[in-house]
């Protein structure tokens, strides 16, 4: 079974449904959750064979819509049944369902997708595609462990979802009393920690590739990344230090160090050239070349054009500085308890 939450996705819902229809194993039934739609999302979904469920008085965005749909669907399912939850702006590779089903063994509670950026978006789109390819490379290096069950596409075992709901109801997990947390800006990041807190493994195996939307403007990218980063930080704050969250907290610490190191590199480089210190030039050139080699090698799977872009270094450094600005602003806002709202992009 597949479940697709959709808010005004008339332009993209057909592509998502057509990709599901090309699966090696087509889901038995596809539900599109039309959440407060004012366009033709529901009509287009119905024309493509989906069963449309309309949310009712939902004020909790995607998490609320999913909870309403799951409350209707899950009671009629067996514990061993599987539910695929995917975004309406995402197209799954034909092997996704079969690969995910094969991976549902050995203590795995959920299988997440490996996301790639869709074509287009100019320079900003190209930078995001490189970033996503590096993330996919990192997943492979970790033995396909999923640190985040991406909202683009994740398959859950029904038994796991039921345990999450029970754990929220009895206070072992926060975020309300249903399946997805209503208190998190990033419901996919939070439900990953919920699944792992209950003792299950999460994986993103080969064959579970998806193609998803890239942000086409800096303001849209800023809003998206602020929500991701702020949500991740707040989820860690809410869960606290546990065996599950410890690696995530350490990773956030390393991110802070990377912000500091890049800042020092830029400052010392400017200082060196301003003071005219030729004795330092060879050292800083060598450091810069190491950056270039790392960027080019890790962009290899994105294609030669991406490698050429990575070789310029300056453009990617600006993109890294953008990401660091998101991190610092998210940390600042969280520490000062400034409210961040879930935004559509």
């Amino acid at each position: 079974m597949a479940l697709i939450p959709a808010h005004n996705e008339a332009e993209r819902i057909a592509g998502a449904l057509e990709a599901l229809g090309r699966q090696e194993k087509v889901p038995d039934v596809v539900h599109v959750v039309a959440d407060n739609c004012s366009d033709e999302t529901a009509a287009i979904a119905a024309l493509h064979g989906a069963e449309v469920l309309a949310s009712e008085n939902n004020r909790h965005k995607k998490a609320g819509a999913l909870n309403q749909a799951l409350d209707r669907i899950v009671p009629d399912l067996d514990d061993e049944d599987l539910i695929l939850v995917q975004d309406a702006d995402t197209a799954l590779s034909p092997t996704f369902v079969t690969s995910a089903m094969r991976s549902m063994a050995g203590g795995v509670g959920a299988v997440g997708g490996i996301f790639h950026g869709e074509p287009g978006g100019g320079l900003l789109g190209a930078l995001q595609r490189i970033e996503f390819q590096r993330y996919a490379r990192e997943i492979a290096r970790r033995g396909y462990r999923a640190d985040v069950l991406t909202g683009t596409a994740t398959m859950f075992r029904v038994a796991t979802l039921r345990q999450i709901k029970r754990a929220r109801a009895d206070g072992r997990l926060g975020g309300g009393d249903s399946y997805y947390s209503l208190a998190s800006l990033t419901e996919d990041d939070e439900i990953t920690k919920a699944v792992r807190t209950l003792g299950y493994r999460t994986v993103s195996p080969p064959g579970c590739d998806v193609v998803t939307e890239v942000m086409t403007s800096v303001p849209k990218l800023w809003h998206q990344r602020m929500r991701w980063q702020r949500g991740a930080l707040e989820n860690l704050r809410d869960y606290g230090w546990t065996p599950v969250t410890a690696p995530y907290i350490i990773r956030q610490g390393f991110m802070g160090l990377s912000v500091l190191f890049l800042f020092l590199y830029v400052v010392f480089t400017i200082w060196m050239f301003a003071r005219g210190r030729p004795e330092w030039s060879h050292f800083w050139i060598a450091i810069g070349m190491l950056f270039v080699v790392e960027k080019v090698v890790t962009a290899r799977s994105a294609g030669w054009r991406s490698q050429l872009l990575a070789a310029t270094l300056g453009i990617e450094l600006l993109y890294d500085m953008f990401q660091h600005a998101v991190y610092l602003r998210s940390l600042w806002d969280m520490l000062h308890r400034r409210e961040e709202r879930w935004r559509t992009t």
Side-chain angles (χ1 to χ4, degrees), residues 120-188:
L123 177 61
L124 198 60
L127 290 168
Q128 291 168 79
R129 285 189 290 276
I130 294 173
E131 178 190 6
F132 294 166
Q133 289 289 351
R134 288 193 178 116
Y135 182 66
R137 181 175 184 268
E138 185 62 25
I139 289 174
R141 290 181 63 186
R142 293 196 303 257
Y144 300 101
R145 183 184 73 243
D147 286 339
V148 177
L149 294 168
T150 170
T152 55
T154 293
M155 181 177 286
F156 295 94
R157 195 184 304 279
V158 168
T160 306
L161 290 172
R162 285 182 170 140
Q163 289 179 50
I164 290 172
K165 185 175 183 178
R166 286 196 296 269
R168 295 200 199 280
D170 63 23
R172 286 181 291 141
L173 297 173
D177 58 2
S178 193
Y179 304 96
Y180 281 88
S181 170
L182 301 181
S184 176
L185 289 166
T186 49
E187 72 290 325
D188 51 355

Side-chain angles (χ1 to χ4, degrees), residues 14 19 25 78 97 140 165 180 188 191 232 235-236 277 290 302 311:
K25 179 173 177 52
D78 295 329
V97 171
K165 185 175 183 178
Y180 281 88
D188 51 355
I191 205 168
N235 290 336
L236 291 174
R277 300 246 177 187
L290 286 176

